[in-house]
Amino acid sequence: MSISREDIEKVAVLARIKVDGEQVSALEKDLGNILDLVDQLSAADTDSVEPMAHPLDAVQKLRPDVVTETNQREAFQAIAPATEDGLYLVPRVIE
């Protein structure tokens, strides 16, 4: 699978990344190599492989779900610049 120069330029615009001509050529080659590797991995027969959560069968130690701090909501609300009905009011960012 290959990626075109136009695709790279389009993604750069969407990501708001400035990419010059030399970088586009290098990215075209590098991303093409990555996509070729993905194609190779996709071709591997994995039907007989059992899915696993961790390659070492590690067990995650869980801590008990216990509240360890007192409720300080009122104290935090008191020092907040603006609150209403227990909610923090913030300036509108997106119109």
Side-chain angles (χ1 to χ4, degrees):
M1 179 178 216
S2 63
I3 188 164
S4 70
R5 184 177 197 87
E6 292 80 25
D7 289 336
I8 293 172
E9 291 170 349
K10 184 177 179 181
V11 170
V13 169
L14 292 172
R16 300 183 194 276
I17 300 171
K18 182 180 178 183
V19 181
D20 62 18
E22 291 177 9
Q23 291 174 320
V24 171
S25 298
L27 283 170
E28 188 174 5
K29 179 183 173 203
D30 292 343
L31 291 174
N33 289 339
I34 291 169
L35 293 174
D36 289 340
L37 180 60
V38 170
D39 284 342
Q40 288 177 11
L41 291 173
S42 296
D45 180 24
T46 59
D47 291 336
S48 62
V49 178
E50 185 178 333
M52 61 180 125
H54 193 279
L56 301 177
D57 290 329
V59 178
Q60 183 177 6
K61 295 179 184 176
L62 300 176
R63 63 173 172 77
D65 190 14
V66 179
V67 176
T68 58
E69 296 183 12
T70 59
N71 184 0
Q72 300 181 28
R73 179 179 177 198
E74 296 299 324
F76 294 137
Q77 295 266 309
I79 60 172
T83 60
E84 182 179 302
D85 297 329
L87 302 173
Y88 295 97
L89 302 178
V90 296
R92 178 174 285 204
V93 178
I94 300 173
E95 300 280 336

